[in-house]
Amino acid sequence: MSGDGSWRRVSREGRRFLRGRYRSLRRLALWSLLESAHTFLGGYAVARALDDGFLAGRTGTGLGWLAVAGAGALLGALALRGVFGGLADLVEPLRDGLVRRSVRQAIGRAVADPGRAGDAGAVSRLTQQTEMARDSFAGLVLVARSFVFTALGALLGLAALDPVLLVLVLPALLLGTAGFLATLRPMARVQRAALDADEALSGRAGELAAGLRDVVACGGGASAGAPVERLITEQERLTGRLARWTALRTLALGVAGRLPVVALLAGTPWLLGRGVSAGAVAGALTYLVQSLLPALDALMTAVGAAGTRLLVVLDRFCTPQSDSAAATTAPEVAPGVGAGPGVAVELRGVWFAYGPRAQPVIDGLDLTVGAGEHLAVVGPSGIGKSTLTALIAGLLPPGGGTVRVAGAPAQGVTGPGPDLRRTLLPQQAYVFTGTVRENLTHLCPGPVSGAEVERATAALGSDGLVDRLGGLDGAVDPARLSPGERQHLALTAAYLSPAPLLLLDEATCHLDLRTEERAERALAARPGTLVVVAHRISSAARADRVLVLDGTRAVCGTHAELPARSPLYRDLVGLWNARG
């Protein structure tokens, strides 16, 4: 989806929304005019207090003008109260319209697919995306309105003090504002293109890594690597373009936010020579420092942050959704992976909530993970990723539906020892006081030879840590290990475990990127199935499939195809890339 297409679509819907609300806009404008009066009095009263009062030896007159400035502040507070009332007349209809659109979409999906009509997707969309749009829209309206009417009051005040003041202030202000606005759409296009290039590079690198042995064997390294090199070059080019646009935006902010003050101060001798009073110069500086420039800075910050967020959310509502991307908690299952002997994990209509009246964390989830498959689970914090691994591990009973591991109920196995069908590694790695060998083999029901342990430490890259601890017979003091070292030992123990299913609930979050990659590749190559709750984009890119949980739907697919099918996944990839 192009950035220009999103902008046009949202702009068209926005104009349609505002056309029917001229009365609310007029009310908001009238209250904002009072705020302009407050801005006007703030600088003008300071100028008069100096020129007609204190500098002229009339202290009472000066104090009187300062009292006028104080009355203007009270007038601004009254105006702000009315502004919030007018704002509600704009914001709440927007939210109501989004709610109605969500309901219509949910009803349309229910009619098209009655079997999926009972999900909680519509409720989640109402409580998440509509509130996000409402808050972002309200913030933008407040800031944009404040800038327009504050600028009006300040510019009128400058003209009233002396029109020549505008000659110094206005050019720099207009130049910086125009420069900032000119960078918005190009930066959005470059950011989207960079995301697409990154996705293409990740997909191509994964394909190449999967067949690397065959590529080397047939001497096709140059031809196989050429597309990757082109993608890397393209990504480098886009990164350079983004850096240049960012530099231009920073320059525009500096021009708009600092140059008017510098111009006024530098031009003060010239102004005084032309007969402009000291009070007028002080009043102009008051307009800039207390009113105009703070309003401009707030506007630019809001447009760059809340504006982008609002565009993304509104575009989701404005974009028609196909049946394959409909908001449903039942994810698509890859072809060829169904119930049967080759199934490691199977969830059917699973529902779970932490309390009888609590909102479901997982609702109507269908998922099949094939034996030997590598699945990554992603989603925002608190969305239910750890709950899903706990359900598969048998630690939590589902409120509804069935969870089966290796063909049997997840909680159906009882006995004196651990359930050897699966091993769960949480974020806080379990390491106990004892020898290194005991920490690495405690998940194994029988004896493990030293050669097997050494092969495991070599595969996971933990042999250096084992050597630092004094070898396999060295003592382990958990309190003296870092979180990353504890996770490294726990991952090696999971590698040695005979369980055919490994569940990693952010069990590599304290490892560096290279160590995490080596560990995940080793665990994926180990016979069995691997389910990873990913906290980095690289973990998702290495998986065979990725399950995206976002509260309104669960979508399952490959890392390469999901950005086009899941707006949330596209946003998460962008966030991960920005942090990484």
Side-chain angles (χ1 to χ4, degrees):
M1 182 188 303
S2 68
D4 288 342
S6 300
W7 174 259
R8 286 193 296 268
R9 191 161 38 244
V10 174
S11 297
R12 183 172 59 251
E13 295 284 343
R15 288 192 298 269
R16 184 183 305 168
F17 171 77
L18 292 176
R19 273 198 298 267
R21 286 163 180 83
Y22 287 137
R23 184 174 180 180
S24 299
L25 290 173
R26 285 196 300 269
R27 178 186 176 189
L28 193 62
L30 289 174
W31 281 111
S32 298
L33 281 175
L34 284 179
E35 190 171 358
S36 295
H38 153 60
T39 303
F40 177 86
L41 289 175
Y44 190 82
V46 168
R48 296 278 69 82
L50 286 173
D51 289 340
D52 301 339
F54 301 118
L55 294 179
R58 294 191 289 269
T59 304
T61 302
L63 292 176
W65 277 111
L66 291 182
V68 171
L74 295 177
L75 188 65
L78 176 64
L80 192 59
R81 178 184 177 186
V83 162
F84 276 100
L87 182 66
D89 292 339
L90 280 180
V91 172
E92 295 307 323
L94 173 71
R95 180 185 180 277
D96 295 342
L98 295 181
V99 169
R100 286 192 294 270
R101 181 165 296 193
S102 293
V103 172
R104 286 197 300 268
Q105 290 176 357
I107 293 175
R109 287 190 297 269
V111 172
D113 190 357
R116 293 181 176 180
D119 68 307
V123 175
S124 180
R125 173 168 293 208
L126 297 183
T127 56
Q128 293 181 17
Q129 296 184 1
T130 57
E131 291 303 321
M132 185 183 298
R134 175 183 179 275
D135 294 343
S136 299
F137 179 66
L140 279 176
V141 171
L142 272 178
V143 171
R145 174 212 56 82
S146 176
F147 170 73
V148 169
F149 287 94
T150 297
L152 176 64
L155 295 177
L156 288 177
L158 290 171
L161 292 175
D162 199 311
V164 74
L165 293 170
L166 296 175
V167 177
L168 289 179
V169 171
L170 203 55
L173 188 67
L174 293 178
L175 178 64
T177 303
F180 171 78
L181 295 176
T183 63
L184 289 178
R185 295 178 69 177
M187 283 193 70
R189 287 195 295 267
V190 174
Q191 287 172 334
R192 190 173 295 274
L195 175 59
D196 294 339
D198 181 74
E199 290 302 316
L201 177 60
S202 299
R204 182 61 183 171
E207 295 172 359
L208 186 62
L212 190 59
R213 183 179 60 181
D214 296 334
V215 170
V216 174
C218 67
S223 59
V228 176
E229 292 180 1
R230 286 195 295 269
L231 289 171
I232 292 175
T233 302
E234 175 67 9
Q235 195 175 46
E236 181 182 5
R237 183 184 69 84
L238 291 171
T239 302
R241 286 183 59 191
L242 186 60
R244 288 191 292 272
W245 280 112
T246 303
L248 288 175
R249 173 181 285 187
T250 304
L251 177 62
L253 289 172
V255 169
R258 301 294 179 266
L259 193 56
V261 175
V262 174
L264 180 64
L265 294 178
T268 296
W270 178 77
L271 292 171
L272 295 177
R274 289 181 58 87
V276 178
S277 67
V281 174
L285 190 62
T286 301
Y287 282 131
L288 290 178
V289 175
Q290 292 190 358
S291 301
L292 193 57
L293 298 185
L296 178 63
D297 183 70
L299 175 68
M300 292 183 174
T301 302
V303 170
T308 302
R309 183 169 62 248
L310 180 62
L311 177 64
V312 171
V313 174
L314 291 182
D315 187 53
R316 292 186 182 179
F317 283 99
C318 298
T319 304
Q321 295 182 340
S322 63
D323 292 339
S324 61
T328 172
T329 51
E332 299 90 334
V333 179
V337 182
V343 173
V345 177
E346 184 181 11
L347 288 81
R348 289 290 174 259
V350 173
W351 177 92
F352 182 85
Y354 289 97
R357 298 184 179 179
Q359 179 73 20
V361 180
I362 294 176
D363 194 3
L365 179 62
D366 294 332
L367 175 66
T368 301
V369 183
E373 188 178 8
H374 179 185
L375 176 73
V377 182
V378 303
S381 178
I383 204 64
K385 303 185 296 294
S386 296
T387 300
L388 176 61
T389 58
L391 288 167
I392 297 174
L395 301 178
L396 293 174
T402 59
V403 181
R404 302 180 71 85
V405 175
Q411 290 191 307
V413 176
T414 59
D419 187 350
L420 297 181
R421 296 177 299 167
R422 66 253 164 137
T423 292
L424 170 64
L425 267 66
Q427 183 176 355
Q428 302 299 325
Y430 173 64
V431 178
F432 55 90
T433 301
T435 66
V436 174
R437 187 191 307 271
E438 290 170 340
N439 274 275
L440 297 182
T441 60
H442 73 280
L443 297 175
C444 303
V448 182
S449 67
E452 290 179 85
V453 177
E454 289 174 0
R455 282 195 296 270
T457 57
L460 272 293
S462 57
D463 42 4
L465 173 60
V466 171
D467 291 339
R468 290 197 303 273
L469 293 175
L472 295 179
D473 295 322
V476 173
D477 182 0
R480 304 186 66 175
L481 296 179
S482 68
E485 290 172 332
R486 290 197 291 270
Q487 285 189 338
H488 216 171
L489 291 178
L491 289 166
T492 307
Y495 182 91
L496 285 167
S497 166
L501 171 61
L502 294 184
L503 304 168
L504 307 186
D505 186 8
E506 297 197 8
T508 61
C509 62
H510 296 300
L511 302 180
D512 59 78
L513 286 171
R514 183 174 299 178
T515 304
E516 179 189 63
E517 179 180 4
R518 181 170 182 175
E520 286 187 358
R521 292 193 183 279
L523 293 173
R526 167 189 176 274
T529 304
L530 179 63
V531 177
V532 178
V533 173
H535 63 285
R536 293 188 179 111
I537 184 60
S538 52
S539 293
R542 284 189 291 269
D544 299 326
R545 287 191 301 156
V546 181
L547 175 66
V548 185
L549 301 177
D550 73 347
T552 64
R553 62 182 172 189
V555 182
C556 198
T558 66
H559 171 69
E561 68 185 17
L562 275 176
R565 297 169 53 199
S566 171
L568 172 65
Y569 191 74
R570 186 166 63 244
D571 294 346
L572 288 174
V573 170
L575 179 62
W576 278 328
N577 287 337
R579 290 178 176 174

